[in-house]
Amino acid sequence: MPRLIAAALIGASLSISGVVFQAMFQNPLVSPNILGVASGAGFGAVLCILFSFGAFGISLGAFVGGVVAVSLAYLLGHFTNKTQS
């Protein structure tokens, strides 16, 4: 039963994050790979592994790396948008 509940919560959180990405970037085809979430999370996890953090530290580093990657992608797109109205 705990695994079933965990699977349901993880699936719900992944679907919510997909909806948030689509709403934030106003693009129905946006994906975590395009935004750099996977690369940022991998980089954060590798840094934590190199500094010998535990399992919780590696998970936290991956989360922070993913958030930083999406934030940089959003800010870069926001500040370099040179469309004329």
Side-chain angles (χ1 to χ4, degrees):
M1 194 64 166
R3 289 183 184 178
L4 182 65
I5 293 170
L9 290 175
I10 290 168
S13 65
L14 287 172
S15 67
I16 290 170
S17 68
V19 169
V20 169
F21 279 164
Q22 290 174 353
M24 186 169 71
F25 289 94
Q26 298 175 353
N27 182 355
L29 298 177
V30 71
S31 74
N33 293 331
I34 293 172
L35 297 175
V37 175
S39 301
F43 182 71
V46 166
L47 282 179
C48 290
I49 290 170
L50 286 175
F51 291 116
S52 301
F53 289 120
F56 181 74
I58 294 170
S59 299
L60 187 63
F63 176 76
V64 170
V67 169
V68 167
V70 170
S71 299
L72 287 175
Y74 180 76
L75 291 174
L76 183 68
H78 180 72
F79 288 120
T80 60
N81 188 7
K82 303 292 183 195
T83 59
Q84 297 179 7
S85 27

